[in-house]
Structures are given as structure tokens and as C-alpha cells.
């Protein structure tokens, strides 16, 4: 990316199946250290919100950072018609809303590819080199520059020396041949990819390594996205109640498995909008939990029973799995199971309002 000028204002759009808001907030946190920018608020990412945001831009905004949500074909095209980006980020291609695309990942990739087709043809596109489904994106005819980020595969911006540290993640990235250390105050390896997108963009726009480090360190996390609450009796609650899909659930289980010390309880609600993929997606999460260091598995909702099916089928002891239709019954069962040092993960689709579980535990679990 060339050094920005007022004639070529960076208009940065972030889309993807997971990590949109976090990536947008990380980018903005760095850029606002030097510039006055426009950032779309919270997770306001519908096409109608983008139309509103386009009207709010002023000449003093040195950069624009927005996220483009997508539920159906044509959504991202509309975003781009209201506000055409010259820098585009596709964080990953996962199973969020896959039910709206015939249950096919290729359908999700086709819809995400609208960003590639309708952003500035000479712009810069950033992709996740470690996400196999990103290979399905329609990049062949893109005339601009493609930049990749990754941890495992070869990438233009690659994180190394990744580890959990002080309630966040520490890692190193080479910039212009020199290795630098970075820290983000949020848990989970998957959030390092979000940070890498922010690093790549800020570096390309001429921000210094110190400005990038400071912006990432001070980035403010959104609520109910892997927030750890420490209660009495050394009980920890991992609040990831904002939304859920199979990939996000696995990422949250990784965090539970890593930071939990004694008993580790995964409380997983139904994942909505998976369509034909509903049974398969839920069972896949159950199998994943069975392969991780999880002590007990509690599910909430009709579709989530398939998480229990997948876990049992993969050898998770049946006497450590319970499925609930009622939040009230689940809350009582959780309190009975709590012992000092327990770590509880709360995860589910937003419509289940799993955040009420977090509030309940904060009131009662540490006593």
C-alpha cells in the first residue's frame, strides 16, 4: 500500500464469517493514534448502516474503517455501492449464515467474493493464508494487490512465538526484515489473525512499529467476546455469548482448554442459521470438545442436543454431558456442579441471550 494522501483516503472494509468487529476495532485503534478517522460504531454492519455511514463522512476524516455484514447474496455488493473500499479484508470463510447459501461453504465464499468484485479494482485485498476455505474466494481476476496473513502457512505477515500472556496474547511479527513483539489484550489464537490484518494495513499506511504496538495494546474489546470474569473461590467465567457458529465455538473451546486449571465446563447453546448444516455443524463442535481438555459439557436448546450427540460419539463420557431446554434448569445444575477453581465457558447464538447466564453466574457463582 502506498503512503496515503488526502486524494487517496484509505477506505477500509472488513468482512468475514468471524472477527469482523474485532479486526475493525484493532485497525481503528492504531490509525486513530495519528489521524482523525471515521469508524462504524459497534457491530452496525448491515447495508443500511453503510448507507448511513457514507453520509456521515467529512473531509477531515483521514481514513474510514467499516465492517460489512452479510446474510444473503448481494449484501456486500450493496455495501460497496454505498461506500467503495480501496482496502478490503476478508477475515475467513466459515459457517456463519451457511444455511442461507444452501449449506455450502462455496456459497458463503461466493457471497464474500462480492467484496473483491466491487471494491476498487486497483485496491489492496487482505486474506487469511491459514484458512483453507479462503481458497474458494474469487481472486483470479482481481487486478489489485493481495496481502496474506498467517501463523502456520507462508504469509506476507506471519506471527511467530505465539503464547498466552497476562489475559491476552503475545506474538512476534517481522516488519521490514526486523522482528518485533506485539501484545493484544484479548484471548485466543484466532484473535492474532485479526491483529495481523491490522498490523499489515497500518504498516502499509506508514505507521511506525511503536504506533502499531500501542494501538493494539490499547484496543478496547467488545462486550461478550471472550471476556474473562474472575469471581470468588477462583471461579472464572469466559463470556463469549455474543454469537456462535462452529468455527467460533471451536476457538472458544480452545481458550477454555488453555486457561482453565481444574474443572472446565463448556456451556454451549444452539447455533442458528446453519440450515442444512445444522446437525453436522453441531456434532462437529461436540466431537471437537471431546478431543479437548473439557471436564463437563452442558448444552442449551433443541439444535444443541446434536453437540451432545457428537461428543458422546467421539468418546466424551455420557455422565459428564447434560442437555437442557430451560435456562433456569441449566443455571441450577451449573451451581450444583461448581467447585473452587472451576472455569466456565458461555457460548451461543445471540438470540438465545446467553449473556443472561453470565449475569446469573456473576451474581451467584462466586459465593
Amino acid at each position: 500500500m502506498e503512503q496515503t494522501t488526502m486524494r487517496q483516503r484509505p477506505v477500509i472494509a472488513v468482512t468475514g464469517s468471524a472477527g469482523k468487529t474485532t479486526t475493525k476495532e484493532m485497525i481503528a485503534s492504531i490509525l486513530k493514534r495519528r489521524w482523525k478517522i471515521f469508524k462504524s460504531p459497534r457491530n452496525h454492519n448491515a447495508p443500511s448502516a453503510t448507507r448511513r455511514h457514507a453520509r456521515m463522512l467529512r473531509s477531515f476524516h483521514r481514513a474510514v474503517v467499516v465492517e460489512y455484514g452479510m446474510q444473503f447474496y448481494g449484501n456486500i455488493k450493496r455495501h460497496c455501492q454505498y461506500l467503495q473500499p480501496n482496502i478490503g479484508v476478508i477475515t475467513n470463510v466459515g459457517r456463519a449464515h451457511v444455511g442461507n447459501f444452501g449449506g455450502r461453504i462455496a456459497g458463503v465464499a461466493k457471497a464474500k467474493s462480492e467484496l473483491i468484485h466491487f471494491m476498487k479494482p486497483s485496491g489492496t485485498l487482505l486474506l487469511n493464508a491459514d484458512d483453507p476455505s479462503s481458497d474458494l474466494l474469487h481472486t483470479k481476476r482481481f487486478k489489485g494487490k493481495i496481502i496474506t496473513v498467517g501463523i502456520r502457512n507462508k504469509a506476507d505477515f506471519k506471527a511467530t512465538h505465539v503464547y498466552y500472556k497476562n489475559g491476552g496474547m503475545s506474538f512476534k511479527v517481522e516488519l521490514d526484515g526486523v522482528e518485533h513483539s506485539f501484545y493484544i489484550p484479548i484471548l485466543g489464537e484466532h484473535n492474532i489473525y485479526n491483529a495481523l490484518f491490522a498490523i499489515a494495513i497500518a504498516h502499509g499506511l506508514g505507521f511506525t512499529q511503536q504506533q502499531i504496538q500501542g494501538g493494539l495494546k490499547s484496543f478496547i474489546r467488545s462486550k461478550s467476546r471472550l471476556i474473562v470474569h474472575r469471581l470468588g473461590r477462583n471461579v472464572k467465567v469466559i463470556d463469549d455469548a455474543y454469537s456462535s457458529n462452529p468455527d467460533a465455538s471451536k476457538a472458544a473451546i480452545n481458550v477454555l482448554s488453555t486457561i482453565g486449571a481444574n474443572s472446565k465446563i463448556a456451556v454451549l447453546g444452539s447455533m442458528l442459521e446453519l440450515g442444512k448444516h445444522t446437525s453436522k455443524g453441531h456434532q462437529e463442535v461436540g466431537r471437537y470438545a471431546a478431543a479437548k481438555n473439557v471436564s463437563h459439557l452442558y448444552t442449551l436448546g433443541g439444535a444443541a442436543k446434536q453437540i451432545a450427540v457428537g461428543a458422546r460419539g467421539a468418546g466424551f463420557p455420557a455422565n459428564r454431558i447434560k442437555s437442557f431446554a430451560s435456562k433456569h434448569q441449566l443455571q441450577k445444575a451449573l451451581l450444583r456442579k461448581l467447585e473452587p477453581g472451576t472455569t466456565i465457558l458461555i457460548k451461543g447464538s445471540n438470540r438465545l441471550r446467553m449473556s443472561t447466564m453470565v449475569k446469573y453466574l456473576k451474581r451467584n457463582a462466586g459465593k
Side-chain angles (χ1 to χ4, degrees), residues 58-127:
R58 299 294 180 266
S59 58
F60 58 76
H61 290 130
R62 289 287 307 274
V64 180
V65 191
V66 290
E67 65 177 278
Y68 287 176
M70 179 209 81
Q71 285 187 296
F72 303 100
Y73 289 120
N75 282 172
I76 292 180
K77 178 181 178 181
R78 280 179 60 209
H79 282 292
C80 292
Q81 288 169 336
Y82 296 137
L83 188 57
Q84 188 181 36
N86 46 38
I87 300 173
V89 177
I90 302 177
T91 58
N92 46 46
V93 178
R95 269 74 63 86
H97 310 302
V98 71
N100 298 336
F101 304 97
R104 293 170 57 250
I105 289 287
V108 177
K110 182 181 176 183
K112 298 285 182 201
S113 295
E114 291 175 10
L115 181 69
I116 303 168
H117 299 320
F118 297 103
M119 67 180 282
K120 283 274 173 67
S122 58
T124 300
L125 174 68
L126 293 97
L127 302 176

Side-chain angles (χ1 to χ4, degrees), residues 225-271:
R225 284 189 168 99
L226 286 172
I227 306 289
V228 179
H229 302 282
R230 297 173 191 278
L231 311 180
R233 301 192 301 151
N234 199 26
V235 171
K236 293 197 285 276
V237 177
I238 304 170
D239 176 6
D240 201 29
Y242 177 74
S243 65
S244 193
N245 62 62
D247 303 308
S249 293
K250 289 184 197 175
I253 289 166
N254 283 343
V255 172
L256 171 66
S257 181
T258 304
I259 73 164
N262 301 333
S263 179
K264 304 175 190 182
I265 303 175
V267 180
L268 305 177
S270 296
M271 299 176 285

Side-chain angles (χ1 to χ4, degrees), residues 89-281:
V89 177
I90 302 177
T91 58
N92 46 46
V93 178
R95 269 74 63 86
H97 310 302
V98 71
N100 298 336
F101 304 97
R104 293 170 57 250
I105 289 287
V108 177
K110 182 181 176 183
K112 298 285 182 201
S113 295
E114 291 175 10
L115 181 69
I116 303 168
H117 299 320
F118 297 103
M119 67 180 282
K120 283 274 173 67
S122 58
T124 300
L125 174 68
L126 293 97
L127 302 176
N128 185 336
D130 291 351
D131 175 35
S133 296
S134 286
D135 292 343
L136 300 170
L137 292 165
H138 303 178
T139 57
K140 284 184 181 171
R141 295 183 185 174
F142 183 65
K143 296 288 196 294
K145 184 176 183 181
I146 295 179
I147 291 174
T148 55
V149 307
I151 299 174
R152 290 170 185 82
N153 295 328
K154 183 182 176 185
D156 298 309
F157 290 81
K158 183 169 181 172
T160 59
H161 303 85
V162 172
Y163 58 95
Y164 284 68
K165 178 184 176 183
N166 301 335
M169 305 298 294
S170 176
F171 58 100
K172 293 184 178 180
V173 182
E174 190 178 289
L175 302 177
D176 298 326
V178 180
E179 195 174 62
H180 299 285
S181 296
F182 295 90
Y183 170 81
I184 51 173
I186 188 170
L187 295 167
E189 187 181 89
H190 60 292
N191 280 310
I192 290 174
Y193 293 99
N194 302 332
L196 286 170
F197 286 121
I199 292 167
I201 288 171
H203 180 70
L205 293 173
F207 282 69
T208 67
Q209 151 242 331
Q210 291 93 340
Q211 288 166 337
I212 296 170
Q213 287 167 327
L216 287 177
K217 200 171 181 180
S218 61
F219 130 85
I220 297 170
R221 300 169 296 174
S222 303
K223 69 174 188 174
S224 293
R225 284 189 168 99
L226 286 172
I227 306 289
V228 179
H229 302 282
R230 297 173 191 278
L231 311 180
R233 301 192 301 151
N234 199 26
V235 171
K236 293 197 285 276
V237 177
I238 304 170
D239 176 6
D240 201 29
Y242 177 74
S243 65
S244 193
N245 62 62
D247 303 308
S249 293
K250 289 184 197 175
I253 289 166
N254 283 343
V255 172
L256 171 66
S257 181
T258 304
I259 73 164
N262 301 333
S263 179
K264 304 175 190 182
I265 303 175
V267 180
L268 305 177
S270 296
M271 299 176 285
L272 308 178
E273 297 184 351
L274 294 182
K276 294 177 190 172
H277 197 72
T278 295
S279 288
K280 184 180 173 187

Side-chain angles (χ1 to χ4, degrees), residues 299-311:
T299 72
L300 177 67
K305 287 180 183 174
Q306 292 299 316
I307 298 176
V309 170

